[in-house]
Amino acid sequence: FVIEPGAVADPSRVPAYLREEEAILPEDIARATRRTWHFDRRNGMWTVNGKLFDPNRVDAVIPHLQPEIWTISAAGGWAHPIHFHLEEGRILTYNRQEEDNPVLLGRKDVFSLRGGEEMEIFVRFHDWVGRYPLHCHNGMHEDHAMMVRFDIVREA
């Protein structure tokens, strides 16, 4: 790249509307698989559901396109920005209250929890099958493998 001084034309424009969100239907909620992921510290180590990360252990097998409701929670004392790969979810409840904040209602792939907080999120893995991590994006926690592996599989 060669960057030179001077004004340049900028033809970019924000569109009049963005892509509509896929509706979360009552039947999606009714048939969703529910999972719980609790982020904590045990015996000086960062854990999810009381376990240390093992890349060979599959903590959840999720059928492609299956609706999921994940309850994510964090123990006290630390912030935990929870992240999963290659899909986005939507917050249903925050600390057991139905979420109505427009900023929080949009699609996200990082869900910020402070110690003692809990969220229910709706997710459906649309695009890819394979192995994926769910982890804390706090650098120290991530470096110390505060994560789980889940596999997205095609239904037989």
Side-chain angles (χ1 to χ4, degrees):
F1 291 100
V2 176
I3 301 172
E4 298 179 7
V8 295
D10 179 4
S12 64
R13 298 291 175 260
V14 175
Y17 64 93
L18 300 175
R19 179 179 62 187
E20 289 189 31
E21 297 238 287
E22 178 182 0
I24 301 173
L25 304 173
E27 53 266 30
D28 293 332
I29 299 294
R31 69 184 192 91
T33 300
R34 293 180 178 266
R35 302 181 197 276
T36 300
W37 307 107
H38 181 67
F39 292 75
D40 202 351
R41 187 171 169 94
R42 188 168 287 174
N43 297 322
M45 303 294 288
W46 301 106
T47 64
V48 181
N49 290 348
K51 298 177 183 173
L52 299 173
F53 178 60
D54 177 349
N56 297 312
R57 185 185 66 236
V58 180
D59 290 293
V61 176
I62 302 169
H64 180 246
L65 298 175
Q66 167 67 30
E68 298 264 324
I69 296 175
W70 290 0
T71 300
I72 58 173
S73 61
W78 289 90
H80 297 282
I82 309 304
H83 171 64
F84 53 85
H85 289 217
L86 294 175
E87 189 55 82
E88 296 171 328
R90 292 168 48 201
I91 299 170
L92 299 174
T93 65
Y94 188 11
N95 291 329
R96 297 187 176 93
Q97 301 289 319
E98 188 171 319
E99 190 50 61
D100 61 2
N101 180 337
V103 173
L104 295 178
L105 288 175
R107 295 170 53 100
K108 302 188 176 329
D109 69 349
V110 177
F111 301 86
S112 294
L113 294 174
R114 290 180 296 276
E117 293 184 334
E118 175 184 287
M119 286 183 191
E120 276 187 321
I121 58 175
F122 179 88
V123 63
R124 182 184 348 237
F125 292 89
H126 289 91
D127 296 321
W128 314 104
V129 296
R131 300 174 177 182
Y132 296 97
L134 166 71
H135 61 95
C136 179
H137 236 309
N138 179 319
M140 181 191 310
H141 302 176
E142 185 174 12
D143 289 348
H144 288 98
M146 186 181 218
M147 65 180 74
V148 297
R149 174 183 152 192
F150 64 91
D151 290 0
I152 306 299
V153 298
R154 297 245 187 245
E155 292 193 71

